[in-house]
């Protein structure tokens, strides 16, 4: 499809702005002489983006089982809620009681759901929450006058975990997974010392397994005075069933754009609130919103790590999450966990008849299969591309790294049994194609708006704007 | 509401297929003592109409008087095209475009966004977005210290105070030392570059004033120059940063088609010279071809990123502000060159306001220098008290003790001449 600048013609823009008869105060030598933004009539702008949207796939288009991303249905009512004009307020306005009430109530709900003592809603995404959490750990040990340097991370972790750790000048130390998919307790014990800041753990982990030794793991960390951070990306199957605060977690983040259904927007905006136990509350980002004598106000703490966002986080996303929690209520939250886990296990049982299941056990919200049984050199990437032809978004591929040729599948609770069956049928058909007509897979997608893209070329000669 | 479609019958047959008796058998890996026995203490579910009624009840506790607040978040008109496009589910309910063949919409839109940001700033490379203005600046600070290998930066005190707080937070974690550069008459004053990797300024600065980037560049000859903007509409009127040889430009892009929303989601902009292409944080969309030779787009140079490079990544950022960048792209495409006229109108309204205010005894324009759409006034207390129903500006004395009784006032196209006249009337009555 043509680019905006290729469709542009001087004088075409219809979006007129009337000026006043007032001289500017800006000297000529500070002003720009040309502005080459594209010029299209409004109808062509709308058609351009409408046509672009037609070559995009969202949850609104079909099953999107992208593992660890929780691509559930994003209720439309939450968009209406987020567009209530009275909430579109300047962040420094003092007439903000309604807005503060939403943030405060949401903090309370998140505490109740996770068993944490206090939440800050400032972090703008999961990785931002991780960074905030590690900053809190750093500030905690600084306050205690302890110099610790190492953060334990299981090898099944999200890539953001070690990246967040190294931003805080700590050293990530990886622990192995056991043959059953959990943390290898022996390896963990060997790596423990008084130099360990704590652990960053994802539970259920990225194999979709709830670590049955989670209490031993957190106890081991606590025995050495360390802190336990939970990457809450996989909170969905725990809603109303189990609280991280009960299994020894000291700090965690939630991804509101995953568990709490705010749309992912093609890469954000998200929101990554951080929750902590009581001892760590003073270290949360400044300012916090708290209740003093039945009045909501901003509160500053001396021990705080400081501010991590220009203002107070992604309020537009917080409002959607609040709206979601209120609309489904307590019973709805538990329902999510149960059905997410049911759907994943159902799919696992059906898929294992055709694909290799590296960890054949009960899973939580997601499952991993791999390409080890595929004939004719067909790879996970080929399967992913061919799934597009069947009308599905592919799963997360080649992740977690500990499974060669991994496909991480998270169906979520909002899919019908018929959708799950259709996906399994497609996977079965793809397996048969791999045996009989492998070129259909290696050349896939065949029906998408564009053929398989040359990723290597994109990186070898980077062209990142229409100027170069 | 309930968005789980499984019927009792579905559940029965699925459990049978799995080979377990009940749902709780699927949670048997969770130690028994951890399983919640009672329901969460969260209110019962609501229907759509009950929910909206509830939210409206809360929303009216907010008040929206006539307001001249700016300082990092701006009340601009959002063209009707923007919401029509960004509310399309194909865009809004998709994930980061890891699978380019079914994400061409998002990817081409990002590529075009990157191009328009480069046109506005004059820089060579823009990424797909960061969280907001403050965090993109913090990432620029970290980037600069990596490029120069010096863990010290100079920060102008004419930078937005909240941004300075965020820099402090990130600097503490990344063990970078911040040296504060004073302000003289509203502008960044002299500085020594020795031992530092970069100087961070804001343009237009927190007081709305246009900094002397030419002078700053000369003084910063041997270090990087990082410029932050909170009101990027000014770019449509001012010389691009490339003309001052700025190394890294960061900004808050909320002004481009995104609502105020109590300060978030914003749109973190970061753009650099070509030389820093391989060190820039975040996603980049690049052009390539498919197997038939057709032009297409894909995320590229991913070896900089956390999911490949892990602890050696240039940043930990994953989810950014994709839909806000899309809003900005639609905004810029809708205005086209008329964005320059919009910028002029914003400036004209601010100039008009200062002309009117300067005729009033008891109101002073604190800095007599070129500004874009924000300016600082000092106003006598008795005059200020006449404006109880108007948010005249951001009180500056909390951030700058020597600016007692001073306010940062902002005009946008949403401010009408009548609004300004109303303020003048109320003060002079």
């Amino acid at each position: 499809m043509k680019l905006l600048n290729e469709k542009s013609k001087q004088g075409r823009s219809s979006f007129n702005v009337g000026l006043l008869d007032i001289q500017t105060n800006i000297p000529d030598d500070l002003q720009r002489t040309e502005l080459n933004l594209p010029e299209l009539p409004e109808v062509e702008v709308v058609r351009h983006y409408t046509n672009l949207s037609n070559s995009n796939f969202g949850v609104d288009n079909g099953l999107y089982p992208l593992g660890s991303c929780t691509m559930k249905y994003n209720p439309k009512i939450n968009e209406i809620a987020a567009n209530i004009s009275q909430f579109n307020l300047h962040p420094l306005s003092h007439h903000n009681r309604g807005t503060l009430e939403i943030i405060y109530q949401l903090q309370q709900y998140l505490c109740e759901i996770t068993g944490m003592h206090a939440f800050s809603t400032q972090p703008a995404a999961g990785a931002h929450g991780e960074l905030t959490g590690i900053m809190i750990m750093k500030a905690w040990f600084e306050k205690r006058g302890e110099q610790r340097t190492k953060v334990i991370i299981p090898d099944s972790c999200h890539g953001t975990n070690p990246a967040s750790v190294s931003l805080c000048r700590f050293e990530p130390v990886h622990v192995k997974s056991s043959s059953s998919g959990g943390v290898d307790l022996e390896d963990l014990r060997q790596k423990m010392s008084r130099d360990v800041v704590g652990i960053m753990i994802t539970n259920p982990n990225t194999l979709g397994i709830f670590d049955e030794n989670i209490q031993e793991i957190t106890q081991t960390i606590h025995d050495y005075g360390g802190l336990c951070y939970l990457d809450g990306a996989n909170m969905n199957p725990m809603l109303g069933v189990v609280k991280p605060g009960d299994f020894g977690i000291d700090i965690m983040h939630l991804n509101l754009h995953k568990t709490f259904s705010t749309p992912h927007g093609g890469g954000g905006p998200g929101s990554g609130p951080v929750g902590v136990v009581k001892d760590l509350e003073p270290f949360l980002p400044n300012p916090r919103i708290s209740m003093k004598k039945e009045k909501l106000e901003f509160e500053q703490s001396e021990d705080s790590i400081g501010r991590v966002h220009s203002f107070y986080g992604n309020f537009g996303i917080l409002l959607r999450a609040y709206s979601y929690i209120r609309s489904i209520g307590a019973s709805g939250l538990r329902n999510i966990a149960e059905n997410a886990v049911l759907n994943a296990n159902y799919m696992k049982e059906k898929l294992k008849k055709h694909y290799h299941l590296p960890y054949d056990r009960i899973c939580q919200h997601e499952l991993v299969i791999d390409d080890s049984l595929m004939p004719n050199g067909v790879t996970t990437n080929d399967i992913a591309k061919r799934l597009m032809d069947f009308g599905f978004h592919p799963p997360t591929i080649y992740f977690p790294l500990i499974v060669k040729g991994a496909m991480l599948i998270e169906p979520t609770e909002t899919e019908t049994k018929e959708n799950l069956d259709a996906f399994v049928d497609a996977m079965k058909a793809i397996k048969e194609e791999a045996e009989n007509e492998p070129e259909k897979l290696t050349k896939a997608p065949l029906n998408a708006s564009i053929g398989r893209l040359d990723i290597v070329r994109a990186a070898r000669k980077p062209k990142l704007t229409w100027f170069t | 509401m309930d968005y789980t479609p499984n019927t009792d019958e579905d559940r029965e047959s699925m459990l049978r297929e799995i080979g377990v008796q009940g749902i709780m058998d699927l949670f048997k890996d969770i130690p028994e003592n951890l399983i919640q026995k009672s329901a969460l203490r969260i209110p019962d579910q609501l229907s759509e109409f009950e929910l909206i009624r509830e939210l409206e009840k809360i929303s009216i506790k907010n008040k929206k008087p006539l307001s001249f607040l700016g300082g990092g978040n701006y009340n601009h008109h959002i063209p009707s095209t923007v919401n029509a496009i960004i509310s399309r589910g194909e865009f809004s309910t998709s994930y980061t475009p890891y699978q380019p063949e079914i994400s061409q919409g998002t990817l081409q839109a990002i590529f075009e966004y990157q191009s328009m940001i480069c046109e506005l700033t004059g820089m060579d490379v823009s990424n797909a977005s960061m969280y907001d203005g403050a965090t993109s600046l913090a990432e620029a600070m970290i980037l600069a210290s990596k490029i120069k290998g010096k863990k010290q930066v100079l920060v102008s005190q004419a930078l937005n105070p909240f941004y300075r707080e965020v820099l402090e937070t990130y600097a503490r974690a990344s063990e970078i030392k911040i040296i504060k550069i004073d302000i003289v008459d509203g502008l960044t004053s002299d500085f020594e570059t020795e031992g530092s990797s970069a100087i961070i300024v804001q343009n237009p600065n927190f007081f709305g004033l246009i900094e002397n980037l030419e002078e700053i560049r000369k003084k910063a000859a041997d270090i990087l120059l990082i410029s932050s903007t909170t009101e990027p509409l000014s770019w449509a009127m001012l010389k691009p940063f490339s003309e001052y040889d700025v190394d890294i430009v960061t900004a808050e892009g909320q002004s481009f088609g995104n609502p105020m929303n109590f300060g978030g989601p914003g749109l973190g902009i970061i753009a650099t010279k070509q030389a820093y292409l391989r060190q820039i944080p975040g996603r980049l969309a690049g052009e390539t071809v498919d197997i038939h030779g057709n032009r297409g787009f894909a995320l590229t140079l991913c070896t900089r990123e956390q999911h490949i490079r892990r602890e050696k990544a240039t940043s930990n950022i994953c989810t950014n502000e994709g839909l806000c960048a899309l809003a900005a792209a639609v905004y810029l495409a809708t205005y086209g060159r008329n964005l320059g006229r919009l910028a002029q109108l914003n400036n004209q309204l601010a100039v008009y306001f200062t002309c009117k205010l300067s005729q009033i005894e008891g109101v002073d324009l604190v800095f007599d220098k070129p500004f874009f759409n924000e300016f600082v006034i000092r106003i006598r207390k008795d005059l200020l008290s006449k404006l109880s129903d108007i948010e005249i500006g951001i009180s500056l004395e909390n951030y700058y003790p020597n600016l007692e009784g001073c306010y940062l006032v902002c005009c946008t196209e949403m401010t009408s001449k009548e609004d300004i006249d109303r303020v003048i009337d109320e003060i002079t009555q």
Side-chain angles (χ1 to χ4, degrees), chain A residues 139-285:
Chain A
W140 164 260
F141 285 109
E142 269 174 18
K143 173 96 180 171
R144 296 163 66 90
E146 287 186 59
Q147 285 219 329
R148 297 190 179 214
T149 56
K150 294 186 171 114
V151 177
I152 304 271
I153 304 180
D155 58 7
S156 57
C157 72
H158 296 114
T160 47
N161 294 177
S164 300
V165 164
S166 64
L167 263 172
C168 291
R169 313 289 290 171
F170 289 137
E171 179 197 342
V173 175
H174 291 281
V175 289
K176 283 190 296 203
S177 297
S178 68
S179 56
S180 58
V183 169
D184 184 326
L185 286 173
E186 202 43 50
D187 194 35
L188 173 66
R189 290 197 185 103
Q190 274 181 20
K191 282 169 178 155
M192 285 309 299
S193 70
R194 286 267 156 197
D195 212 14
V196 169
V197 175
I199 191 169
M200 264 191 120
I201 191 165
T202 307
N203 188 43
N205 66 19
T206 61
L207 299 166
I209 295 168
F210 189 100
D211 200 315
E212 66 261 37
N213 298 321
I214 189 67
Q215 293 172 110
E216 285 77 12
I217 295 166
T218 54
Q219 187 58 52
T220 305
I221 301 292
H222 288 155
D223 285 346
Y224 285 83
L227 296 170
C228 298
Y229 184 95
L230 179 78
D231 177 335
N234 295 345
M235 186 69 208
N236 212 41
M238 294 196 283
L239 295 172
V241 176
V242 54
K243 295 183 180 185
D246 290 346
F247 55 75
I249 296 304
D250 303 299
I251 316 179
M252 67 176 293
H253 80 263
L254 290 165
N255 299 70
L256 299 186
H257 48 290
K258 295 180 180 177
T259 313
F260 297 96
S261 93
T262 73
H264 209 287
S271 175
V274 167
V276 292
V277 293
K278 194 158 195 284
D279 284 351
L280 296 174
E281 184 180 10
F283 297 89
L284 283 171

Side-chain angles (χ1 to χ4, degrees), chain A residues 12-85:
Chain A
R12 274 275 165 78
S13 175
S14 49
F15 215 79
N16 298 332
V17 177
L19 295 176
L20 302 174
D21 187 18
I22 291 167
Q23 272 294 315
T24 179
N25 60 338
I26 302 173
D28 283 349
D29 65 331
L30 295 178
Q31 290 192 45
R32 72 191 298 151
T33 48
E34 55 173 357
L35 180 64
N36 283 320
L37 288 174
E39 290 196 80
L40 284 78
E42 190 171 312
V43 60
E44 292 304 323
V45 173
V46 170
R47 283 177 184 158
H48 179 76
Y49 286 102
T50 302
N51 290 326
L52 280 182
S53 77
N54 289 337
S55 55
N56 231 37
F57 189 99
V59 175
D60 284 2
N61 295 87
L63 181 64
Y64 208 126
L66 199 63
S68 261
C69 300
T70 316
M71 299 299 281
K72 59 171 77 178
Y73 171 62
N74 311 132
K76 301 300 171 194
I77 190 67
N78 300 337
E79 301 306 304
I80 306 254
N83 283 306
I84 293 175
S85 69

Side-chain angles (χ1 to χ4, degrees), chain A residues 275-312:
Chain A
V276 292
V277 293
K278 194 158 195 284
D279 284 351
L280 296 174
E281 184 180 10
F283 297 89
L284 283 171
N286 270 338
R288 289 200 55 234
I289 293 158
S290 56
M291 183 81 85
K292 286 269 165 68
K293 292 181 191 153
E294 292 181 23
K295 200 168 165 264
L296 290 172
E297 55 187 44
F298 289 113
E299 190 183 25
Q300 302 275 341
S301 160
E302 212 168 283
D303 286 331
S304 166
I305 57 164
R307 189 183 277 276
V308 298
H309 188 269
S310 301
F311 293 102
Y312 314 110

Side-chain angles (χ1 to χ4, degrees), chain A residues 1-2 4 6 13 15 17 19-20 22 24-25 29-32 35-36 38-39 48 52-53 55-57 59-60 64 69 85-86 88-91 93 95-96 98-99 101 112 127-128 138 142 157 159-160 164 166-167 169 215 241 246 263-269 305 307-310 312 314-316 323 327-330 335 339 342-343 353 361-362 364 385 388 401 413-414 417 450-454 458-459 463-467, chain B residues 1-6 11 13-14 17 26 29 33-34 36 40-41 43 45-46 51 55 58-59 61-64 70 73 88-90 92-95 99-106 108 111-112 114-115 119-120 131-132 134-135 151 162 165 169-170 172-175 235 237-239 260-265 277 286-291 295 300 306 310-311 316 319-323 334-338 341 344 347-348 371 391:
Chain A
M1 203 173 121
K2 277 189 171 178
L4 277 172
E6 293 162 351
S13 175
F15 215 79
V17 177
L19 295 176
L20 302 174
I22 291 167
T24 179
N25 60 338
D29 65 331
L30 295 178
Q31 290 192 45
R32 72 191 298 151
L35 180 64
N36 283 320
E39 290 196 80
H48 179 76
L52 280 182
S53 77
S55 55
N56 231 37
F57 189 99
V59 175
D60 284 2
Y64 208 126
C69 300
S85 69
Q86 206 64 9
N88 182 27
L89 203 67
H90 190 282
S93 170
H95 306 279
N96 56 13
T99 297
E101 188 174 322
E112 169 64 9
H128 200 203
K138 187 167 176 139
E142 269 174 18
C157 72
T160 47
S164 300
S166 64
L167 263 172
R169 313 289 290 171
Q215 293 172 110
V241 176
D246 290 346
H264 209 287
I305 57 164
R307 189 183 277 276
V308 298
H309 188 269
S310 301
Y312 314 110
N314 285 349
F315 175 73
S323 164
S327 67
I328 59 176
N335 222 2
N339 285 284
L342 177 66
N343 284 359
K353 294 169 186 154
R361 53 182 287 184
I362 293 283
Q364 297 296 289
K385 301 300 180 195
M388 298 173 188
L401 305 178
E413 75 282 1
T414 59
K417 180 170 172 289
I450 197 157
R452 197 178 292 195
L453 285 154
D454 188 345
K463 179 168 167 30
L464 308 177
T465 66
W466 59 47
F467 303 105
Chain B
M1 298 299 297
D2 182 355
Y3 303 102
T4 53
N6 286 334
R11 269 190 283 267
S13 79
M14 291 163 84
E17 174 79 31
L26 301 175
D29 287 338
N33 66 315
L34 296 178
Q36 284 296 303
L40 292 169
R41 284 168 299 167
Q45 57 175 256
L46 300 173
L51 175 68
L55 285 167
I58 302 173
S59 78
K61 295 181 185 174
N62 286 346
K63 298 281 174 288
K64 293 175 81 170
N73 188 273
R88 293 186 68 88
E90 299 89 336
S92 69
T93 70
S94 61
Y95 200 78
Q99 293 290 347
E101 293 83 3
I102 47 172
S103 311
Q104 284 300 296
T106 295
Q108 183 173 331
F111 181 85
E112 292 171 341
Q114 291 172 178
S115 302
E119 168 60 29
L120 282 164
Y131 306 132
D132 66 359
T135 57
K151 307 216 74 178
F162 290 169
E165 285 183 36
T169 305
Y170 275 69
R172 181 175 165 198
S174 299
E175 295 167 12
W235 296 350
M237 211 174 156
L238 299 177
K239 258 190 193 169
M260 293 184 287
N261 259 338
F262 207 57
L277 167 66
E287 189 181 307
T288 186
V289 294
D290 74 355
I291 50 171
R295 177 170 68 187
T300 192
Q306 47 77 26
R310 303 173 83 86
E311 62 261 35
N316 72 333
T319 285
N320 42 86
E321 309 289 299
L323 205 65
T334 301
Y335 270 105
R337 270 175 227 231
N338 284 330
R341 290 174 66 86
Q344 278 181 53
N347 175 250
Q348 286 176 331
F371 56 82
E391 291 178 319

Side-chain angles (χ1 to χ4, degrees), chain A residues 446-460:
Chain A
L446 307 175
N447 309 328
S449 63
I450 197 157
R452 197 178 292 195
L453 285 154
D454 188 345
I455 303 299
V456 177
R457 178 186 158 125
R460 205 176 49 228

